[in-house]
Amino acid sequence: MSGSNCILVTGGTGFIGSNFVLDWMGAGPTTSGKPTSDTGIINLDLLTYAGNPANLAAIEGRPGYTLVHGDICDATLVAETLDRYQPKAIVHFAAESHVDRSIVGPEAFLKTNIDGTFTLLNAARSYYERLTGEKKENFRFLHVSTDEVYGTLGPHDPAFHEKTPYAPNSPYAASKASSDHLVRAWVHTYKLPCIITNCSNNYGPFQFPEKLIPLMITHALNGKPLPVYGDGQQIRDWLYVSDHASALVAVLERGRIGETYNVGGGNQRSNLAVVETICALLDELRPDSKFAPHSQLITYVKDRPGHDRRYAIDARKIESELGWTASESFETGLRKTVEWYLANPGWIENVTSGAYQQWVQKNYGDRTGIAPASEVVAR
Ligand code: NAD
Ligand code: DAU
């Protein structure tokens, strides 16, 4: 693709990125099929273990979509990509995203999440300063971040809002908090027109089965233990991934420069309740499974070090200012998600097979690290 009718997305082959790209191009697995925009997408992605090209098979070869295979830490590549494609905006998803991996190997998190964001900001600044007229006026850098920057909540604390002080607890959260601070500094110092979003836990199609929901679904289908960390009473606030994608579009179109918007669906659930709901859905959808009732597979395991107890998002700012609301409840979104995994055994097989892991090792080398095996403890 040439010309400037495009946006640059980083990490567009990962879980949220691929859902955003597919929805944008009208090819989302659970959405209407109506494109969000006729603007094309350039996807800069390193294709780590989490960047699965199969996620974007539906748009492969389509006009309007281009993959640039490379690292956001590569300053030359980032600058060349911006100069070549002249995007109208940047949506920055690329990151190391899994908390457990950040505990066993934080280096890659610091590299991609901090260094990579710095590299991107620097290149975006140089690109932006050379823009003129309407293109300069409308340019945006949207930084996709997380509620984990705010730390952890007690059972009766109010939900995280945009003014909640940062208190990151894991290496992942600290790296994302650092990247948010860099973005803030680039707005304040260099007037780069950035906006930050801090979102709660996402779930939906194409999520790598190291994260809670797809891990539990794929384990249950195979009769493997369902490892619940600690007492399973930690709380997360779940958002269906397409609702996150639509929030990002709203922010891109109508968000105010320099602002932060918290994004969440108002679905606080304990981990144990989430796992039990998945088991009940599988009992209903796979009544003949030899592993039913699937809840018999629940196994309490050693807790995650430094495990944040509760996250909850106050999304009133994005709702009232930008008119965004989530369209899926947790019940409808989780059903869609379980149905999607049941309908896509080939995708699961592809990402969990030895062949995929070898591909990851070859292409991703030392920065992979298979998800840490949970240590089973008797209770
Ligand atoms: P993911 O791990 O599924 O995907 C990350 C993507 O980034 C992959 O395509 C990967 O190949 C790419 N990538 C990694 N390092 C790169 C590099 N150095 N250069 C270029 N590409 C690189 O992540 P996700 O869950 O889709 O999360 C996307 C973003 O949203 C992240 O910034 C994450 O912090 C944020 N976020 C995630 C959640 C969630 O629940 N998953 C919630 C809130 C915010
Ligand atoms: O809150 C937003 C964040 O949500 C994102 O920024 C991160 O990128 C994303 O990975 C997610 O972080 P969590 O640590 O909350 O997600 P995870 O799926 O790893 O775990 C969800 C909860 O489930 C958490 O309390 C740990 C627990 N858990 C997780 C796994 C993988 C288990 O009990 N057992 C498991 O096997």
Side-chain angles (χ1 to χ4, degrees):
M1 185 194 301
S2 63
S4 56
N5 190 27
C6 66
I7 61 167
L8 175 70
V9 162
T10 70
T13 323
F15 163 52
I16 303 174
S18 62
N19 278 282
F20 176 89
V21 170
L22 290 171
D23 286 358
W24 185 272
M25 301 199 67
T30 61
T31 46
S32 66
K34 195 168 158 277
T36 307
S37 166
D38 59 5
T39 304
I41 287 197
I42 309 298
N43 173 20
L44 172 59
D45 199 304
L46 187 58
L47 301 181
T48 68
Y49 78 95
N52 180 358
N55 295 0
L56 294 176
I59 56 163
E60 207 180 285
R62 267 213 207 169
Y65 172 69
T66 305
L67 172 69
V68 177
H69 181 196
D71 194 334
I72 57 164
C73 302
D74 180 343
T76 308
L77 174 72
V78 174
E80 277 172 8
T81 304
L82 289 171
D83 284 349
R84 176 166 177 198
Y85 295 106
Q86 300 282 307
K88 299 200 275 198
I90 298 174
V91 184
H92 177 32
F93 294 99
E96 288 293 340
S97 69
H98 192 47
V99 173
D100 289 331
R101 285 178 192 260
S102 84
I103 294 167
V104 292
E107 296 83 356
F109 288 72
L110 272 56
K111 182 96 190 104
T112 287
N113 301 359
I114 305 178
D115 226 16
T117 301
F118 160 70
T119 305
L120 202 60
L121 283 167
N122 243 0
R125 176 189 163 208
S126 155
Y127 169 71
Y128 172 70
E129 284 174 352
R130 283 177 281 124
L131 292 177
T132 54
E134 210 178 296
K135 185 130 192 197
K136 184 163 196 167
E137 222 168 275
N138 293 332
F139 181 79
R140 295 289 181 273
F141 183 115
L142 172 47
H143 177 63
V144 181
S145 192
T146 171
D147 59 358
E148 298 201 12
V149 299
Y150 300 123
T152 187
L153 292 169
H156 305 297
D157 289 337
F160 299 132
H161 54 83
E162 286 78 1
K163 302 276 183 238
T164 302
Y166 274 34
N169 286 323
S170 70
Y172 163 72
S175 70
K176 291 297 289 187
S178 307
S179 69
D180 291 8
H181 290 323
L182 289 172
V183 173
R184 180 189 151 87
W186 258 244
V187 176
H188 189 78
T189 306
Y190 305 115
K191 309 298 173 220
L192 189 66
C194 308
I195 307 176
I196 298 174
T197 54
N198 295 94
C199 187
S200 61
N201 286 63
N202 283 216
Y203 66 102
F206 301 119
Q207 189 167 29
F208 193 79
E210 63 185 356
K211 306 287 195 313
L212 180 73
I213 288 180
L215 183 136
M216 295 299 167
I217 298 171
T218 53
H219 277 215
L221 287 174
N222 292 302
K224 287 162 69 176
L226 308 181
V228 170
Y229 297 169
D231 63 2
Q233 294 308 314
Q234 306 83 2
I235 290 174
R236 297 292 181 267
D237 188 350
W238 295 94
L239 182 69
Y240 192 64
V241 64
S242 280
D243 281 327
H244 189 184
S246 70
L248 296 175
V249 172
V251 172
L252 206 48
E253 287 174 350
R254 304 187 291 283
R256 284 183 293 137
I257 292 168
E259 291 290 319
T260 284
Y261 294 90
N262 281 358
V263 186
N267 293 304
Q268 293 182 59
R269 298 286 187 283
S270 73
N271 292 337
L272 188 59
V274 169
V275 177
E276 282 170 343
T277 310
I278 291 169
C279 291
L281 278 166
L282 288 173
D283 292 349
E284 177 198 325
L285 297 167
R286 285 286 156 90
D288 298 332
S289 165
K290 62 181 181 214
F291 307 120
H294 293 86
S295 57
Q296 69 183 315
L297 298 169
I298 292 175
T299 309
Y300 290 93
V301 302
K302 192 173 167 189
D303 208 353
R304 171 186 280 174
H307 200 168
D308 284 340
R309 195 68 182 166
R310 174 176 166 240
Y311 303 146
I313 278 279
D314 178 342
R316 281 178 293 180
K317 179 174 173 183
I318 187 171
E319 289 170 354
S320 62
E321 239 185 59
L322 307 185
W324 171 86
T325 48
S327 45
E328 297 290 345
S329 69
F330 188 63
E331 285 62 37
T332 58
L334 192 62
R335 180 175 288 274
K336 279 188 181 181
T337 303
V338 171
E339 285 172 349
W340 185 86
Y341 280 90
L342 289 177
N344 289 279
W347 185 91
I348 300 174
E349 169 62 20
N350 180 264
V351 298
T352 52
S353 71
Y356 181 82
Q357 294 299 351
Q358 277 168 20
W359 178 88
V360 166
Q361 198 62 45
K362 182 160 163 262
N363 290 277
Y364 196 49
D366 291 343
R367 291 173 73 182
T368 165
I370 306 304
S374 305
E375 186 186 329
V376 180
V377 290
R379 283 173 64 97

